[in-house]
Amino acid sequence: MTQSALTATPEVGAGKSVGPRDSRGYKAFTWFNGTFLVLLSGLMLYPFVTVLAQSFSSAGAVKAGMVNVVPIGFNIDTYKVVIANDLFWSSYRNTIVYTLVGTTIAMVLTTLLAYVLARRHLRGRNVLIGIAVFTMFFNGGLIPNYVLIQTLGLKNTMWAVVLPGAISVFNLLVMKSFFENMPMELEEAAQIDGLGWWGIFRRIVLPLSKAVLATMILFYAVAIWNDWFAAFLYLDKQELFPVTLYLRNMIAGASSTASQGAAAAGSTKEAISANIQAVTMILTIIPILCIYPFVQRYFVSGIMLGSVKG
Amino acid sequence: MSAAHATGDAPATTVQAPPGGTAPPKVAGEEPGGTGRLKARKIGWGHTMRRDWVLYAMALVPVLFLLLFRYVPMFGNIIAFRRFRPGGSIIGDEWVGMRYVELFLNDPNFWNVFTNTVILGGLTLLFCFPLPIVLALLLNEVRKTTFKRVIQSISYLPHFLSVVIVVGMVMQLLSLQGTVNQLIEATGGEAIPFLQRAEWFRTVYVGSEIWQTVGWGTILYLAALTTVDASLYEAARIDGAGRLRQTWHVTLPGIRPTMITLLILNIGLFLNVGFEKVLLLYNPLTYATGDVVSTYLYRVGLVSNNFSYATAIGLFQAIIGLVMILSANFLSRRVVGASLW
C-alpha cells in the first residue's frame, strides 16, 4: 500500500528542483549516501554469504578458516551427510508439523477474537480488549509458565510448543484494526439480507481480508519456524525436537568440545561439525529465504497496520 | 500515519474511558446521563445477549485461552511468597511471606546480574533505538526506487532469522579463524577469542542486535516520513533552510510521534534484554558481563530447581517493566502529548 507512496516522497518532499546552493554539496552527499548504503548491505549480507560458502566447501578449508565469500574445494558432500542423518530429518519434519499445526490454531483463535473485538457496539468490548492488551505489558514469567505447562501435562508433547504462543496480542491488534476499517455498509447490507454474525464473518469479512490473513499467517509461521526456546524448555525427547533446537544443541556441543580442547579424533570431528553447522543453518533458513521475496511487502504493510492505533 | 497518531489520541482515550459501561449506541444516544445509562444496562444485557450471543460464543475459546495461558501464570506468581515443592501444589504449599524477596535483595549475585541487565539494556536502547532513525533518513534521501527497494529488502532480512541462526553466525564470524580475526591479523593485530572474553560480551551482543534489528526498525519511520507535509519543506526552503536544516526542523518533528511510541515500547522492554540470545551466547567465562536477570533466574529456577526464589526474581523484574512502561507513557503524554493509549 505504501511502497509507491514511500518512494514518491523524496521527489515531492525533498524536491528535485532545489536551489543552486544545494546542488554541489547535495550531489556529494548523494554519492556518499549511496556508497554507504551499498557497503552497509554488503555487511548485512556477509554472514549469509559466508555460511553459504562454507556449506559448499571442503571440511579442511573451513577448518583452516580459508572460506570467506567463495566456496573452497567445492562439494556437496556435507549436504548429503546432513540429509542422510535421521535426527536432522525428524527435527526438520517436526518443525514443519509444528509450524502447520501451530499456525492453524493461532490463526483460528486470533481471527475469531479480532473479529469480535472489532464490533464497536459489543457490550464489554473494552474489557475484553483490556484483558488482551494488559498481557503485552505484564506477563506471568518463566517459572509460573513452566509450572502451568507441567501441570497441564503438556510437557514432552508438541502442544507445549504450539499452544502457549497461539495468540500474539500484537497480531490480534493488527487484525482488529483491519477489521474495524472495513466498510460498515457491507455488514449492514448483509444483516438486512439475513446473515448472522457468523455468516458475516465467514461470507463477507474473511473473503475480503485475504491480505491481512496472509500477513498474519506469515508472522505466525515464521515465529514458530524460528522458535527454539519453548522446545528447549518443555521437550526432553530428541525425536520431538524442532530443527532450531537440533541446531542449537549442535552449536552448543561444538563450542563445548572446542573449549575442552577435544581429543585426537575431535579435531577432524570439529571441522566437520563447522561444515555441518553451515549446512544445517542453510537448510533451516532456505524456506524463509524462498518465501521472503514474495511476502516481504505483506510483512511491511502488516507491521504498518499494527502501528495504526490498536 | 503520524497524523493518525496525533489526532487519533483523543477519541481513543474517550472510548476506553468507561470500560464495559458503554451502552449500545442507540440507547445511549436517546438517554444520556446516569440513570439513563443504568436503565440501558438493565435492558441492554438481555437484548445484547440475544442479539450478540454468537459473537460472545466466538470469543469464548480465545478468551479462555488468554485466561489460561496468560493470566493463570500471572496468578502463579503467588509461589514467590509460598514454598513450592516440585510435584506439590501448583500454587505452593505454605506461606513464607517475603522470604524469597529478601533472599534475592541480599544476594550479591542478584545485584551483579541486575547491573549487567541495566548496562546491557541501556546499551541496546542507546544504539538500537536511534540507528534505525538515521538509516531511515538516509534511505529517504535515495531517489532511485529500485536501489532503495533492494537496500531495504536486504536490511530487513536478518529480522526473519531464528536467534539460534544469528548466534551460530556470530560464533562463526568471531571464532579464532573467523572473518573478524582474519581482518585483525591481516592488519597486524593478534586474534581475540571474543566469545571467551567477558569484556567483549557487550560489544558482541549489541553489535549482533544492531545487525538483526536496524533494518526492520526503519519500516515505521519510512512510513512516517511519507506523511510529512511537502509544503513544509517548501516553506523551509523559501526561508532559506538548507537540507540539513530541513531535516532538523521539518523531518524530525514530523516523525516525532512514531519516535516516541517506539521509545516507550523499547523502554518497557528494557529489562527483558534478549533473554534467549544471551542464553545462547554466553558461557561461564562471560558470566561476569553477560549474565542478566532472566538468565540468572533461569539457572536458579530451572537448573537448580529453586522455583519460588526464581519466581520472586521474575515478579520483581516484571513489575519494574510495568512501572517503567507506565511512567514512560505518562511522561510522554505530559511532555510531548504522544502516548500509547
Side-chain angles (χ1 to χ4, degrees):
Chain A
M1 78 189 199
T2 38
Q3 201 63 278
S4 56
L6 211 141
T7 46
T9 322
E11 269 101 46
V12 186
K16 250 180 181 164
S17 56
V18 266
R21 206 159 9 110
D22 248 334
S23 61
R24 185 178 285 175
Y26 190 59
K27 238 177 214 161
F29 167 75
T30 312
W31 188 85
F32 165 80
N33 190 21
T35 318
F36 175 77
L37 290 176
V38 168
L39 287 177
L40 189 75
S41 13
L43 214 61
M44 288 293 201
L45 278 182
Y46 182 80
F48 291 94
V49 177
T50 190
V51 171
L52 191 66
Q54 285 184 350
S55 75
F56 286 113
S57 297
S58 71
V62 173
K63 187 184 179 259
M66 286 155 62
V67 184
N68 281 318
V69 181
V70 190
I72 306 224
F74 184 90
N75 70 79
I76 54 164
D77 295 348
T78 328
Y79 278 88
K80 289 182 190 154
V81 172
V82 171
I83 290 172
N85 182 331
D86 288 341
L87 193 56
F88 170 79
W89 264 128
S90 77
S91 311
Y92 210 79
R93 248 199 335 266
N94 287 339
T95 293
I96 295 173
V97 172
Y98 295 167
T99 305
L100 290 177
V101 175
T103 308
T104 310
I105 295 176
M107 283 306 291
V108 171
L109 293 183
T110 311
T111 316
L112 281 175
L113 189 55
Y115 171 70
V116 173
L117 294 184
R119 305 303 102 199
R120 291 183 202 273
H121 73 275
L122 190 77
R123 269 292 179 90
R125 168 180 185 257
N126 288 316
V127 175
L128 293 180
I129 293 175
I131 287 177
V133 169
F134 183 67
T135 62
M136 284 177 101
F137 304 118
F138 190 77
N139 63 65
L142 183 71
I143 307 292
N145 271 304
Y146 184 86
V147 173
L148 175 71
I149 297 293
Q150 206 171 29
T151 315
L152 293 175
L154 299 181
K155 268 201 86 179
N156 277 318
T157 67
M158 69 178 278
W159 306 112
V161 177
V162 154
L163 273 183
I167 295 182
S168 140
V169 177
F170 175 80
N171 291 357
L172 178 76
L173 295 179
V174 171
M175 280 188 115
K176 172 180 148 289
S177 66
F178 184 90
F179 290 152
E180 275 172 354
N181 289 331
M182 278 187 160
M184 289 283 277
E185 293 77 18
L186 272 176
E187 264 173 41
E188 279 159 16
Q191 250 171 330
I192 290 165
D193 289 348
L195 276 184
W197 292 117
W198 178 251
I200 295 174
F201 175 65
R202 234 170 38 91
R203 312 249 305 256
I204 313 275
V205 173
L206 285 189
L208 287 174
S209 311
K210 289 201 183 97
V212 78
L213 292 177
T215 313
M216 291 300 117
I217 288 176
L218 292 160
F219 271 140
Y220 278 124
V222 168
I224 302 174
W225 186 276
N226 282 336
D227 183 46
W228 69 286
F229 191 62
F232 175 71
L233 273 185
Y234 303 126
L235 304 180
D236 301 325
K237 295 182 184 149
Q238 275 198 331
E239 63 266 27
L240 290 174
F241 285 1
V243 72
T244 42
L245 184 54
Y246 171 80
L247 183 61
R248 180 263 167 196
N249 289 346
M250 185 192 279
I251 292 170
S255 60
S256 70
T257 46
S259 60
Q260 282 158 20
S267 57
T268 49
K269 214 174 169 186
E270 189 197 317
I272 295 168
S273 105
N275 261 23
I276 292 181
Q277 268 181 44
V279 170
T280 313
M281 278 158 83
I282 292 295
L283 290 175
T284 311
I285 303 173
I286 275 180
I288 293 175
L289 283 189
C290 288
I291 55 165
Y292 178 72
F294 304 102
V295 301
Q296 192 215 134
R297 60 203 182 91
Y298 289 110
F299 276 123
V300 173
S301 55
I303 191 151
M304 287 196 289
L305 268 178
S307 70
V308 180
K309 274 213 119 62
Chain B
M1 190 200 61
S2 68
H5 268 294
T7 53
D9 274 330
T13 39
T14 49
V15 166
Q16 278 179 2
T22 32
K26 278 176 199 161
V27 191
E30 281 160 17
E31 284 185 324
T35 49
R37 171 165 291 187
L38 245 175
K39 209 170 155 193
R41 179 178 288 176
K42 254 186 220 158
I43 304 163
W45 271 115
H47 176 72
T48 350
M49 281 316 283
R50 230 173 308 126
R51 186 185 54 181
D52 291 337
W53 69 271
V54 180
L55 288 177
Y56 290 114
M58 285 168 97
L60 188 65
V61 178
V63 169
L64 285 179
F65 170 89
L66 285 177
L67 293 179
L68 177 61
F69 284 104
R70 301 282 184 273
Y71 282 85
V72 169
M74 280 184 207
F75 293 109
N77 270 313
I78 200 165
I79 65 171
F81 308 103
R82 292 166 70 87
R83 176 167 296 124
F84 176 88
R85 288 190 189 87
S89 162
I90 180 173
I91 53 158
D93 298 314
E94 72 245 1
W95 289 102
V96 293
M98 302 297 278
R99 206 187 110 172
Y100 292 109
V101 178
E102 279 166 26
L103 210 58
F104 80 72
L105 288 178
N106 295 319
D107 176 355
N109 280 332
F110 171 78
W111 290 110
N112 216 351
V113 297
F114 189 76
T115 318
N116 281 344
T117 310
V118 172
I119 294 175
L120 211 52
L123 287 173
T124 311
L125 196 62
L126 191 67
F127 287 99
C128 293
F129 174 70
L131 284 180
I133 302 176
V134 176
L135 185 58
L137 290 176
L138 292 181
L139 275 170
N140 196 42
E141 296 293 333
V142 174
R143 297 256 180 75
K144 293 201 183 71
T145 316
T146 335
F147 178 67
K148 183 174 174 179
R149 207 168 286 172
V150 170
I151 303 275
Q152 278 180 274
S153 301
I154 292 173
S155 67
Y156 300 160
L157 193 53
H159 174 82
F160 294 98
L161 298 186
S162 173
V163 226
V164 177
I165 305 265
V166 174
V167 170
M169 285 177 170
V170 167
M171 285 179 165
Q172 290 206 342
L173 290 176
L174 296 181
S175 74
L176 279 177
Q177 295 87 25
T179 310
V180 177
N181 273 322
Q182 285 177 28
L183 282 177
I184 291 177
E185 282 175 340
T187 52
E190 208 163 298
I192 303 168
F194 290 101
L195 298 164
Q196 276 81 45
R197 290 279 167 79
E199 68 265 30
W200 279 101
F201 187 87
R202 287 168 185 151
T203 317
V204 172
Y205 177 87
V206 175
S208 63
E209 199 68 11
I210 292 173
W211 179 73
Q212 201 179 6
T213 58
V214 69
W216 188 247
T218 60
I219 290 185
L220 289 177
Y221 294 115
L222 284 170
L225 284 170
T226 64
T227 64
V228 179
D229 189 351
S231 60
L232 290 177
Y233 288 106
E234 202 93 22
R237 251 196 324 271
I238 289 167
D239 288 348
R243 203 152 280 274
L244 219 60
R245 292 197 140 253
Q246 288 175 32
T247 304
W248 184 254
H249 291 291
V250 179
T251 313
L252 283 179
I255 58 174
R256 199 170 60 180
T258 311
M259 285 164 61
I260 303 283
T261 311
L262 291 179
L263 186 63
I264 297 173
L265 283 173
N266 278 333
I267 289 175
L269 297 172
F270 187 75
L271 285 188
N272 294 3
V273 273
F275 169 37
E276 292 185 25
K277 199 156 113 196
V278 174
L279 198 63
L280 290 167
L281 203 57
Y282 80 166
N283 59 54
L285 293 172
T286 47
Y287 278 0
T289 50
D291 205 7
V292 292
V293 174
S294 36
T295 50
Y296 180 62
L297 86 81
Y298 165 78
R299 285 205 314 279
V300 168
L302 293 176
V303 181
S304 330
N305 264 315
N306 206 337
F307 280 42
S308 289
Y309 185 39
T311 306
I313 300 176
L315 185 59
F316 175 74
Q317 188 186 9
I319 289 174
I320 293 188
L322 185 65
V323 169
M324 281 176 69
I325 199 164
L326 290 178
S327 31
N329 192 54
F330 175 79
L331 272 180
S332 91
R333 189 163 49 194
R334 275 293 159 87
V335 179
V336 279
S339 68
L340 281 179
W341 59 86

